[in-house]
Amino acid sequence: MKKNYFFYSNKKCFIDHNGIVSSKSHSNLALIKYWGKHNHKIQIPLNSSISYSLGKVYTVTRLIYKRKKKKNSSIKIFFSGKEKTSFLPKILEFFHRISFYCSYLRDFNFIIETYNTFPHSSGIASSASSMSALALCVMKIEKKLVSSLKKDLFLKKASFLARLGSGSACRSIYSGLVVWGCHPSIKGSNNLYAIPYPYEVHSIFTKIANTILIIDDEPKKILSSKGHQLMNNHPYARERFKCANKNMNRLISILKIGDFQEFGELIEHEALTLHAMIMTSRPYFLWMKPNTLNVIHTVWDFRKHSNKNIYFTLDAGANVHLLYPIQEKTSIIKWIYSDLFSYCKKIIESFCY
Ligand code: PMV
């Protein structure tokens, strides 16, 4: 599908009043990580990725649109009730990129009111849920203009727009397992928007427990956009992309047969590979903190002695996501609070679905 498919070209319809739209979008957790992009402005990934939606971890956004009286545009953003001018550059860039596909946006001034159920910029993908919620709000305005807009196109375009705000945001449009980026084994997968995972999934993977250990709640010093850029001249980039593609093939069969141990080993390998890329880029940097390593080693020891299926993954930050079968939640969560709590600032109990 070409990007032109998403142009808004209905010049006859317009909204002559003010209004409000709102949306909610869940964060997502990548099992196979997207790391590196072809073109920084249009966010084309260098490898395909797959994620789960995160329960309880979401952004709610209200977009208030007011018809412009003068030519100049204005956008204001309020985060948890307070005006947040530091978010403006990213939002302005997002509106600039998408107004090419949603020309009606140029007729309005906007007020964005948003809040998260989790700390922003701390390694839980807040840009994913926030950009996805905003893209859904924009599409709700488009739906007011084009009432015949079908749900399928609504969601595809929302994912396409969200991608222009933050790559992984395109996966937050859908719940469940979601794929973004062209992969030869996944029908319909493409670089422009995400799709729901199209194949059979064993019942053990329809909902799994996710406990998020907040080890560091400060905003990251090195943003993921910088890390993506460093993949362009990275000495191990080619091998990384090959490995991600192979891991996707392995994951397709793991998801089908329901092998949690294989699943866990694959996601831990993905997480450590992502961090290895970060540690070996130029300039190099480190997102893990001492307590990230303390958690990983404690989980490995526990797994060895208990034979429990508990595995970790990491995103672009120090925080740890623990994944385990939902059926084992009662005993495992008890162990987490007794043996891991001292390493964390906060524990968020969530689930992947
Ligand atoms: O969407 P971005 O640009 O914030 O990049 C996200 C990168 C990872 O979270 C590390 C991996 C992923 O696929 O979500």
Side-chain angles (χ1 to χ4, degrees):
M1 189 178 287
K2 296 245 166 68
K3 345 183 247 208
N4 296 358
Y5 180 71
F6 293 115
F7 274 121
Y8 172 80
S9 55
N10 195 341
K11 297 239 164 53
K12 281 189 206 130
C13 299
F14 72 96
I15 305 174
D16 61 355
H17 54 268
N18 303 334
I20 301 176
V21 282
S22 55
S23 275
K24 170 177 163 182
S25 210
H26 285 252
S27 184
N28 69 74
L29 175 65
L31 304 171
I32 294 184
K33 314 286 184 184
Y34 139 65
W35 199 241
K37 45 188 159 186
H38 279 290
N39 177 320
H40 287 269
K41 289 227 159 86
I42 59 165
Q43 319 263 59
I44 298 298
L46 283 164
N47 68 276
S48 57
S49 57
I50 179 166
S51 61
Y52 262 126
S53 291
L54 292 181
K56 300 186 191 170
V57 178
Y58 57 85
T59 299
V60 178
T61 299
R62 248 159 61 105
L63 181 63
I64 302 161
Y65 53 94
K66 294 188 178 168
R67 230 184 141 72
K68 270 190 202 169
K69 299 219 167 73
K70 293 182 199 143
K71 228 178 158 215
N72 290 354
S73 308
S74 114
I75 299 184
K76 282 188 173 181
I77 174 151
F78 292 84
F79 180 69
S80 295
K82 286 195 187 128
E83 189 165 6
K84 197 86 177 159
T85 46
S86 61
F87 286 1
L88 260 183
K90 197 162 179 186
I91 297 293
L92 289 172
E93 173 70 17
F94 175 62
F95 271 79
H96 173 71
R97 287 180 190 175
I98 68 169
S99 58
F100 192 62
Y101 302 97
C102 309
S103 51
Y104 49 87
L105 293 177
R106 297 189 184 116
D107 298 336
F108 299 100
N109 288 322
F110 295 100
I111 298 173
I112 301 165
E113 294 173 352
T114 187
Y115 69 86
N116 291 341
T117 57
F118 57 100
H120 74 86
S121 306
S122 60
I124 301 177
S126 61
S127 58
S129 55
S130 56
M131 287 300 175
S132 157
L134 195 52
L136 286 166
C137 285
V138 169
M139 286 310 293
K140 285 187 178 173
I141 299 180
E142 185 158 322
K143 175 79 182 160
K144 285 179 191 263
L145 289 161
V146 189
S147 57
S148 60
L149 186 65
K150 295 268 184 304
K151 192 172 175 198
D152 179 59
L153 181 56
F154 176 100
L155 293 172
K156 277 182 184 156
K157 183 165 175 181
S159 176
F160 174 87
L161 298 178
R163 186 194 98 239
L164 295 172
S166 166
S168 56
C170 70
R171 296 188 310 240
S172 273
I173 297 294
Y174 299 96
S175 57
L177 285 159
V178 180
V179 176
W180 171 43
C182 195
H183 191 283
S185 306
I186 301 188
K187 202 170 158 231
S189 62
N190 72 90
N191 292 337
L192 297 182
Y193 56 87
I195 58 162
Y197 179 69
Y199 302 129
E200 195 186 336
V201 175
H202 188 279
S203 59
I204 198 164
F205 292 124
T206 47
K207 183 175 176 185
I208 62 176
N210 169 228
T211 304
I212 309 167
L213 307 180
I214 307 292
I215 289 183
D216 182 12
D217 55 6
E218 294 295 313
K220 280 179 297 190
K221 292 191 179 61
I222 313 279
L223 295 175
S224 53
S225 49
K226 174 81 182 156
H228 284 293
Q229 244 173 43
L230 296 175
M231 283 305 275
N232 289 333
N233 296 313
H234 198 294
Y236 311 131
R238 213 188 243 263
E239 285 308 309
R240 160 64 195 148
F241 302 137
K242 270 199 223 157
C243 170
N245 281 337
K246 272 198 201 147
N247 279 348
M248 186 69 90
N249 280 327
R250 261 184 76 200
L251 189 62
I252 293 171
S253 72
I254 291 170
L255 289 174
K256 188 171 171 194
I257 60 177
D259 188 332
F260 211 99
Q261 190 181 333
E262 282 274 318
F263 170 82
E265 283 169 13
L266 186 139
I267 62 161
E268 289 192 351
H269 182 259
E270 269 294 312
L272 293 178
T273 309
L274 166 74
H275 280 248
M277 291 299 107
I278 292 157
M279 287 188 244
T280 50
S281 56
R282 288 216 183 252
Y284 49 84
F285 51 99
L286 193 56
W287 273 321
M288 289 194 212
K289 293 276 158 96
N291 278 341
T292 314
L293 290 175
N294 282 331
V295 165
I296 291 175
H297 284 289
T298 312
V299 167
W300 280 345
D301 285 347
F302 174 67
R303 201 161 73 212
K304 201 165 153 201
H305 295 115
S306 68
N307 268 329
K308 294 269 187 205
N309 274 317
I310 174 167
Y311 295 88
F312 73 85
T313 185
L314 308 164
D315 264 340
N319 300 328
V320 183
H321 286 260
L322 297 176
L323 301 185
Y324 47 96
I326 204 93
Q327 296 77 358
E328 296 183 37
K329 175 140 189 202
T330 316
S331 66
I332 290 185
I333 199 77
K334 231 169 132 186
W335 172 77
I336 291 174
Y337 277 97
S338 77
D339 286 41
L340 300 178
F341 192 66
S342 60
Y343 300 130
C344 315
K345 294 219 162 122
K346 195 175 169 190
I347 291 184
I348 301 175
E349 286 181 44
S350 173
F351 54 90
C352 296
Y353 69 108

